[in-house]
Amino acid sequence: MKKLINSPDNVVKEALAGMAAAHPDLLTVSYDPDIIVRADGPVKGKVGIISGGGSGHEPMHGGFVGMGMLDAACPGAMFTSPVPDQMLAATKAVDGGKGVLHIVKNYTGDVMNFEMAAEMAAAEGIEVAAVVTNDDVAVKDSLYTAGRRGVGVTVLLEKIVGAAAQSGADLAEVKRIAEKVNAQGRSMGMALTSCTVPHAGKPSFELPDDEMEIGVGIHGEPGRRRVKLASAAEIAEMLATPIVEDLPFASGDHVLAFVNGMGGTPLIELYLMYNELNTILKAKGITISRNLVGSYITSLDMAGCSFTLLKLDDELTKLWDAPVHTPALRWGV
Amino acid sequence: MKKLINSPDNVVKEALAGMAAAHPDLLTVSYDPDIIVRADGPVKGKVGIISGGGSGHEPMHGGFVGMGMLDAACPGAMFTSPVPDQMLAATKAVDGGKGVLHIVKNYTGDVMNFEMAAEMAAAEGIEVAAVVTNDDVAVKDSLYTAGRRGVGVTVLLEKIVGAAAQSGADLAEVKRIAEKVNAQGRSMGMALTSCTVPHAGKPSFELPDDEMEIGVGIHGEPGRRRVKLASAAEIAEMLATPIVEDLPFASGDHVLAFVNGMGGTPLIELYLMYNELNTILKAKGITISRNLVGSYITSLDMAGCSFTLLKLDDELTKLWDAPVHTPALRWGV
Amino acid sequence: MHITAAHVITFIERVAATVKEQRDYLTQLDSAIGDSDHGVNLDRGFSTVITKLPGVADKDIGAILKTVGTTLVSTVGGASGPLYGTAFLRAGMATGDRFELGPADLIAALEAALEGIQSRGKSTRGEKTMIDSIGPGIDALKQANAADEDFLSAMRIGLAACEAGMQATIPMLATKGRASYLGERSIGHQDPGATSAFLMAKAMLEVAEGIS
Amino acid sequence: MHITAAHVITFIERVAATVKEQRDYLTQLDSAIGDSDHGVNLDRGFSTVITKLPGVADKDIGAILKTVGTTLVSTVGGASGPLYGTAFLRAGMATGDRFELGPADLIAALEAALEGIQSRGKSTRGEKTMIDSIGPGIDALKQANAADEDFLSAMRIGLAACEAGMQATIPMLATKGRASYLGERSIGHQDPGATSAFLMAKAMLEVAEGIS
Ligand SMILES: Nc1ncnc2c1ncn2[C@@H]1O[C@H](COP(=O)(O)OP(=O)(O)O)[C@@H](O)[C@H]1O
Ligand SMILES: Nc1ncnc2c1ncn2[C@@H]1O[C@H](COP(=O)(O)OP(=O)(O)O)[C@@H](O)[C@H]1O
Ligand SMILES: [Mg+2]
Ligand SMILES: [Mg+2]
Ligand SMILES: [Mg+2]
Ligand SMILES: [Mg+2]
């Protein structure tokens, strides 16, 4: 295992210390329970927005703490949902008197831990609402299963909902917008290589030199199927088609297209994939009116990418364009 | 070789098409010769700033085209200096009547190609000045060698000099500031893995599982020495000490600390390394007053990192803080 | 059989030791159909539990189990944290302030634990989760106990059923938890949670064998 | 020996073919002490040169060589682009508007090329670059020619010296070009540029052998 770390046990805390040292103007970090809180929070009279999940997906979520996005993030152990103590501490820390929204990705662990935290927060008199993202079309959806994973839409949702809260929307309104983003967004990912979890010390799965995984999540779990390596154009097709067909996205739609790197993918390849996606959507009459290209929701050192499409209307576009000031996303300020 | 590409021959052009499609508000791309030009350029009465180098180092340089940074970038073939036709076309495209600065990294190829372009531009009556960055302390400097490589300082220099030009400085003043940045900055890098150049199809060097390269550049060339894998703290020491001793940086200095990923390094490791660097500098009485953490000058899919320290004074700090609006760096706007 | 608070503490210590010993094995099972952390998660939790035990050494069994439960909730994370945490919490609520448990009390505590897992995890048997080893284990234990077997042999029968349940997860298609994302590809692998639950049941039998 | 414009074109075509054939070998040499692109760079350049040759088929030798030079400058990039580009440009300037070259003209053109490389690259012999094969090759050719050898055998002697010079780069410590960044670690590897220069010299001899 080749990593810039001291010991698997300390990766999360030491990286948190690095974030705290690098961004004192934007955020503060508390330990045990570990939370990353907006430096100028809690913002009085604003709905607090928190999110969280396992570590290893950086910059998500800690890199999205700041004005116009998250008020706090709860980083769990590597690829492990945080514990309720973290969400409770974060909820209390960001409560500005107008309630708190929990942004939860649909993983059994995340959902249960956030649920327990919400019960505890309610017991302490804080109004909490939750949105669960489940945008991964690689997973078949059903009432009788754990359902779809929350992936790329989470990043877009945190930005858009953060803007709504910043503009003064109340908890019900923030929750409505959150659910709308989740309903209008779809994602799918693929991996060229496995990632290596520090504690495991070796790749999560073995992938021959001429094969790739289609339909992976962000935790080094194998995907839906293993296929022969293909060209960028073919891979783009394998990701875009299921996304477009699922919502479905239709000719005339305006979308935000998000091409995401998995952590070990060079930016030049992401722009090349964006070019392929752009070509595919153009042919379908779908217009990309906003985009995001980069590694924002990652899976440690995995090489690969994911596509996310979010159907835009005026409301969502305006919220996307609103100023944001976090370590990983910044504009308008 | 596992890459999101269609064919090694088309990587650069297709990624350029992706950049053009993703950032029409910021830049336009012309082909043959390939150049990336600021969308609202040439800016009348402003010194034009251009840079360039081989592709494979994204976001450098194309990702730095925009308000407050570069007016144009010349992307060469993969890891190959661009040709004079590109620099000449870029120089003409950005000439706003106050002359053009060429930012050149000190590689034999880059230097010679930029020299030829400058001769051609002069023949066409455009005033050109050049700055050559050579900040890599891993390379021994001497009058009788090719000298040191230009690496991380190039990114900081492009931002700072871009701000100076944006604020109306003339060519001589812009050149003075460029030389000051280069004189006050030092870098050193390391690699955990080799990168794979698409045309070569296999890693540029073989590195056993328990070894790493110290003192690498950004072209997949082997480093100065190969040593056993070490902890993040030890690696930070191996990079920081030669940098600090070289300038030298001294107690009481204020610096901009830049922790850079090589392209295949997850962000969580970069923050962990930033934490180590912060600890080392604190112990030496050196204050980090600005920082940049991320993958900005990369070497395709190489895993590893580099440190760059730039000694700051009020002039450089103000220029660093000035607004910038490019695909890869944006603030204040 | 009389199970004292001291026996419960011995049981917890043995679970913690087993989890540490089997950490990499559990993590490896999780890497096939999950995210390579199950052993690491449980080890982090039970290592902390161990540090809490001295503080409850003189407390009733309910207090001990509830401390284990809240500690697991606060330190394990992932899916198994809330699930095992809830299990120990509910078992603690079922035993209440008693300092000694008989067979019926133990069975009641185990049933409360299982119910807790099911309501927290919204899962039923056959979905390739920890309840696929726990459920059959408790069933068999109850049945054997009702058939008037010696309680220790009833526990042995329960453990065998638990193990069989664990192995039965191999051909199952996962519909709950992280393995469900793999669809058909989840088939052919033993569920990590069903395995850790079996290891805990085994520790329980070993402690019981020391009592009689 | 009379070298015509047609011979020069044949030479360029042969160089282009050799470079394509040896592309991966040159790139591999460059991966040991450089950045894995030398063969790719030259192949890109000479492939473009080939498309330009029909346009100068009826031109004088100077025009042909200058077209090769400017095309290389415009397409190769890296260090070798300006260096080989300048070399062909200078050779073209030396031959001027002639349609035929004798031995002395060829030697003058080669010397002009070498001078161009040295002034553009600010390099001297012994620095582990292309001039370490080109320089000795030209020296030996001149010496043999002055000793009144048959020009074709003089060229053979020159090529042997060029090859020896190429091999002599192996133990050298690089002080110019990208290999210089490696310091001591540059020792033990053959310089890619010295190798491509030898391949061009070999192509030149082969064409000459076809003339006599
Ligand atoms: N809904 C559920 N009900 C019961 N058990 C579950 C459920 N979801 C997951 N599990 C159990 O949890 C185990 C995984 O635990 P762990 O790896 O620690 O958490 P995570 O899946 O969040 O990484 C699975 O092997 C399974 O036995
Ligand atoms: N200053 C120089 N003078 C002469 N030849 C040089 C010089 N620098 C580099 N070279 C030659 O160029 C070759 C490398 O060419 P190439 O790989 O195409 O360019 P780059 O080094 O820019 O990648 C080296 O092997 C060497 O022979
Ligand atoms: Mg997990
Ligand atoms: Mg090169
Ligand atoms: Mg797991
Ligand atoms: Mg090279």
Side-chain angles (χ1 to χ4, degrees):
Chain A
M1 175 178 55
K2 291 190 151 183
K3 291 189 182 294
L4 299 169
I5 64 174
N6 290 308
S7 120
D9 287 334
N10 304 335
V11 176
V12 173
K13 298 247 186 215
E14 291 176 8
L16 284 177
M19 282 206 73
H23 307 293
D25 50 326
L26 295 178
L27 51 86
T28 56
V29 174
S30 319
Y31 301 94
D32 301 309
D34 299 347
I35 53 173
I36 305 172
V37 183
R38 187 172 153 176
D40 58 351
V43 183
K44 256 215 119 92
K46 187 183 92 62
V47 171
I49 311 286
I50 78 168
S51 188
S55 291
H57 309 301
E58 290 66 26
M60 185 182 84
H61 298 276
F64 301 140
V65 171
M67 195 281 295
M69 210 160 166
L70 298 181
D71 293 279
C74 307
M78 202 59 84
F79 283 178
T80 300
S81 163
V83 299
D85 310 45
Q86 291 172 269
M87 290 84 144
L88 181 62
T91 302
K92 287 189 200 168
V94 309
D95 180 28
K98 295 238 305 185
V100 176
L101 181 78
H102 289 182
I103 300 175
V104 186
K105 297 185 299 307
N106 188 35
Y107 300 96
T108 307
D110 292 62
V111 169
M112 290 190 299
N113 283 287
F114 265 102
E115 264 172 20
M116 295 181 90
E119 290 162 16
M120 296 173 189
E124 302 203 19
I126 304 177
E127 199 188 353
V128 169
V131 62
V132 179
T133 60
N134 60 348
D135 51 307
D136 188 346
V137 302
V139 178
K140 272 187 220 133
D141 203 7
S142 149
L143 264 179
Y144 307 101
T145 66
R148 289 178 161 173
R149 293 177 287 227
V151 284
V153 156
T154 316
V155 175
L156 311 182
L157 188 146
E158 291 178 2
K159 164 66 187 83
I160 288 171
V161 164
Q166 192 74 35
S167 77
D170 67 16
L171 186 57
E173 173 72 352
V174 163
K175 186 172 152 73
R176 177 188 67 78
I177 293 168
E179 277 165 355
K180 177 172 160 185
V181 172
N182 184 55
Q184 299 192 175
R186 294 292 186 278
S187 303
M188 183 145 160
M190 59 78 57
L192 291 170
T193 67
S194 170
C195 59
T196 298
V197 180
H199 261 118
K202 56 179 206 296
S204 299
F205 52 84
E206 288 302 332
L207 201 48
D209 277 352
D210 61 341
E211 291 183 3
M212 60 184 178
E213 289 275 343
I214 300 292
V216 298
I218 53 170
H219 296 94
E221 62 273 61
R224 292 295 293 208
R225 58 202 166 97
R226 183 170 286 198
V227 300
K228 288 282 164 208
L229 270 188
S231 69
E234 289 163 325
I235 293 171
E237 197 66 58
M238 287 183 229
L239 300 184
T241 303
I243 291 173
V244 169
E245 287 176 355
D246 192 88
L247 191 67
F249 293 87
S251 180
D253 280 353
H254 283 248
V255 299
L256 191 166
F258 171 25
V259 172
N260 176 62
M262 289 295 189
T265 311
L267 190 56
I268 191 169
E269 296 180 25
L270 298 182
Y271 275 112
L272 197 152
M273 290 302 289
Y274 182 80
N275 187 45
E276 296 297 343
L277 177 59
N278 186 41
T279 305
I280 292 171
L281 295 184
K282 243 188 195 151
K284 292 187 196 290
I286 299 167
T287 306
I288 302 181
S289 52
R290 295 292 184 277
N291 68 72
L292 185 66
V293 181
S295 296
Y296 293 100
I297 166 171
T298 62
S299 189
L300 288 169
D301 54 348
M302 179 180 274
C305 72
S306 64
F307 287 173
T308 297
L309 296 183
L310 171 65
K311 192 166 160 176
L312 288 177
D313 57 15
D314 285 350
E315 178 180 50
L316 298 188
T317 306
K318 235 182 92 188
L319 291 168
W320 176 256
D321 289 344
V324 59
H325 188 180
T326 71
L329 282 187
R330 178 172 180 180
W331 55 75
V333 58
Chain B
M1 174 178 55
K2 291 191 150 181
K3 291 189 183 294
L4 300 168
I5 63 173
N6 291 307
S7 121
D9 286 334
N10 304 335
V11 177
V12 172
K13 298 246 187 216
E14 290 177 7
L16 285 177
M19 282 206 73
H23 307 293
D25 50 327
L26 296 177
L27 51 86
T28 56
V29 174
S30 320
Y31 301 93
D32 302 309
D34 299 347
I35 54 173
I36 305 171
V37 183
R38 187 171 152 177
D40 59 349
V43 183
K44 257 215 118 91
K46 187 183 91 65
V47 170
I49 310 284
I50 78 168
S51 187
S55 292
H57 308 300
E58 290 67 25
M60 188 182 82
H61 300 276
F64 301 140
V65 172
M67 195 281 294
M69 210 160 166
L70 298 181
D71 293 280
C74 307
M78 202 59 83
F79 283 178
T80 300
S81 163
V83 299
D85 311 45
Q86 291 171 270
M87 291 83 143
L88 180 62
T91 302
K92 288 189 200 170
V94 309
D95 179 27
K98 295 236 308 185
V100 177
L101 181 77
H102 289 182
I103 300 175
V104 186
K105 298 184 299 304
N106 187 36
Y107 300 96
T108 307
D110 292 64
V111 170
M112 291 189 300
N113 283 288
F114 265 103
E115 264 171 21
M116 295 180 89
E119 290 163 15
M120 297 173 187
E124 303 203 18
I126 303 176
E127 199 188 354
V128 169
V131 61
V132 179
T133 60
N134 60 349
D135 51 307
D136 188 345
V137 303
V139 178
K140 270 187 221 136
D141 203 7
S142 149
L143 266 180
Y144 307 101
T145 66
R148 287 178 163 173
R149 294 177 286 227
V151 285
V153 156
T154 316
V155 175
L156 311 182
L157 188 146
E158 290 178 2
K159 164 66 187 83
I160 287 171
V161 163
Q166 192 73 34
S167 77
D170 66 17
L171 186 57
E173 172 72 352
V174 164
K175 187 173 152 72
R176 177 188 68 76
I177 292 168
E179 277 166 355
K180 177 171 158 184
V181 172
N182 185 55
Q184 297 191 177
R186 294 292 187 277
S187 302
M188 182 145 162
M190 59 76 58
L192 291 170
T193 66
S194 170
C195 58
T196 298
V197 180
H199 262 118
K202 55 179 207 294
S204 299
F205 52 84
E206 287 302 332
L207 202 47
D209 277 352
D210 61 340
E211 291 182 4
M212 60 184 178
E213 289 275 343
I214 300 291
V216 298
I218 52 170
H219 297 93
E221 62 273 60
R224 292 295 293 208
R225 58 203 165 96
R226 182 170 288 196
V227 299
K228 288 280 163 210
L229 270 188
S231 69
E234 290 162 324
I235 293 170
E237 197 67 58
M238 287 184 228
L239 300 184
T241 302
I243 291 174
V244 169
E245 286 176 355
D246 192 87
L247 190 67
F249 293 87
S251 179
D253 280 353
H254 283 248
V255 299
L256 190 167
F258 171 26
V259 172
N260 175 62
M262 289 296 189
T265 312
L267 190 57
I268 190 170
E269 296 180 25
L270 298 182
Y271 275 111
L272 196 151
M273 290 302 288
Y274 182 80
N275 187 45
E276 297 296 343
L277 177 59
N278 187 42
T279 305
I280 291 171
L281 295 183
K282 244 190 194 151
K284 293 188 195 291
I286 299 167
T287 306
I288 302 181
S289 52
R290 294 292 183 277
N291 67 72
L292 185 66
V293 181
S295 295
Y296 292 100
I297 166 172
T298 62
S299 189
L300 289 169
D301 54 348
M302 179 180 273
C305 73
S306 65
F307 286 172
T308 297
L309 295 183
L310 171 65
K311 192 166 161 176
L312 288 176
D313 56 16
D314 285 350
E315 179 179 50
L316 298 188
T317 306
K318 236 181 93 186
L319 290 168
W320 177 257
D321 289 343
V324 60
H325 187 179
T326 72
L329 282 187
R330 179 173 181 180
W331 55 77
V333 56
Chain C
M1 186 186 323
H2 295 285
I3 302 168
T4 65
H7 292 138
V8 171
I9 291 203
T10 307
F11 161 63
I12 302 294
E13 286 168 346
R14 193 175 277 262
V15 169
T18 302
V19 160
K20 190 171 291 304
E21 201 184 283
Q22 302 293 327
R23 191 186 83 152
D24 292 348
Y25 170 59
L26 291 171
T27 297
Q28 186 197 315
L29 288 177
D30 197 28
S31 81
I33 53 171
D35 59 349
S36 314
D37 64 0
H38 187 55
V40 177
N41 290 347
L42 290 184
D43 183 36
R44 184 175 52 247
F46 279 98
S47 297
T48 315
V49 163
I50 287 294
T51 68
K52 298 281 168 74
L53 289 182
V56 292
D58 54 353
K59 295 269 163 67
D60 58 66
I61 295 175
I64 296 170
L65 292 176
K66 280 188 251 171
T67 298
V68 173
T70 54
T71 305
L72 292 179
V73 167
S74 297
T75 55
V76 174
S80 57
L83 291 171
Y84 279 128
T86 302
F88 279 92
L89 273 171
R90 294 287 181 91
M93 281 155 67
T95 50
D97 56 8
R98 248 158 296 170
F99 278 85
E100 235 184 66
L101 305 179
D105 301 322
L106 178 62
I107 290 174
L110 289 171
E111 286 191 303
L114 174 59
E115 230 177 85
I117 294 174
Q118 283 186 298
S119 72
R120 179 59 68 197
K122 298 187 184 70
S123 47
T124 57
R125 295 195 201 179
E127 302 198 277
K128 198 178 184 109
T129 72
M130 53 175 68
I131 66 176
D132 289 314
S133 63
I134 302 173
I138 296 178
D139 285 354
L141 170 65
K142 270 174 69 178
Q143 233 175 314
N145 188 48
D148 242 342
E149 293 251 5
D150 155 55
F151 192 61
L152 202 57
S153 29
M155 282 185 81
R156 288 199 187 99
I157 290 168
L159 184 68
C162 180
E163 184 166 19
M166 169 185 87
Q167 286 156 349
T169 63
I170 298 177
M172 283 184 192
L173 176 88
T175 52
K176 285 286 153 64
R178 200 174 283 285
S180 69
Y181 305 138
L182 271 69
E184 307 286 326
R185 288 179 78 183
S186 65
I187 292 172
H189 301 277
Q190 184 169 309
D191 180 62
T195 310
S196 58
F198 163 72
L199 292 173
M200 291 185 204
K202 191 157 161 263
M204 193 179 305
L205 176 65
E206 285 162 6
V207 174
E209 278 169 338
I211 300 176
S212 335
Chain D
M1 187 186 321
H2 296 285
I3 303 169
T4 66
H7 293 138
V8 172
I9 290 203
T10 307
F11 162 62
I12 301 296
E13 286 168 349
R14 191 175 280 262
V15 169
T18 303
V19 160
K20 191 172 290 304
E21 201 185 283
Q22 302 293 327
R23 191 186 83 153
D24 292 347
Y25 169 59
L26 291 171
T27 297
Q28 187 198 314
L29 288 176
D30 197 28
S31 82
I33 53 171
D35 59 349
S36 314
D37 64 0
H38 187 56
V40 178
N41 290 347
L42 290 185
D43 183 36
R44 183 173 53 244
F46 279 98
S47 297
T48 315
V49 163
I50 287 294
T51 69
K52 298 281 168 76
L53 289 182
V56 292
D58 54 353
K59 295 269 163 67
D60 59 66
I61 295 177
I64 295 170
L65 292 175
K66 280 189 252 173
T67 297
V68 173
T70 54
T71 305
L72 292 179
V73 166
S74 297
T75 55
V76 175
S80 57
L83 292 171
Y84 279 127
T86 301
F88 280 92
L89 274 171
R90 295 285 180 91
M93 282 155 69
T95 51
D97 56 8
R98 247 158 296 170
F99 277 86
E100 236 184 66
L101 304 179
D105 301 321
L106 178 63
I107 289 174
L110 288 172
E111 285 190 304
L114 175 59
E115 231 178 83
I117 294 174
Q118 281 185 299
S119 72
R120 179 59 69 197
K122 300 187 183 71
S123 46
T124 56
R125 295 194 200 177
E127 303 199 279
K128 198 178 185 110
T129 72
M130 52 174 70
I131 66 176
D132 289 313
S133 63
I134 302 173
I138 296 179
D139 285 354
L141 170 66
K142 271 173 71 178
Q143 232 175 310
N145 188 50
D148 243 341
E149 293 252 5
D150 155 55
F151 192 62
L152 201 59
S153 29
M155 280 185 81
R156 288 201 186 97
I157 289 168
L159 184 68
C162 180
E163 185 168 18
M166 168 186 88
Q167 285 157 351
T169 62
I170 297 176
M172 283 183 191
L173 176 88
T175 52
K176 285 286 152 64
R178 199 175 284 286
S180 70
Y181 305 138
L182 271 69
E184 308 285 326
R185 289 179 78 182
S186 65
I187 292 172
H189 302 276
Q190 184 169 311
D191 181 62
T195 309
S196 57
F198 162 73
L199 292 172
M200 292 185 203
K202 192 156 160 266
M204 192 179 303
L205 176 65
E206 286 161 6
V207 174
E209 279 169 338
I211 301 177
S212 336

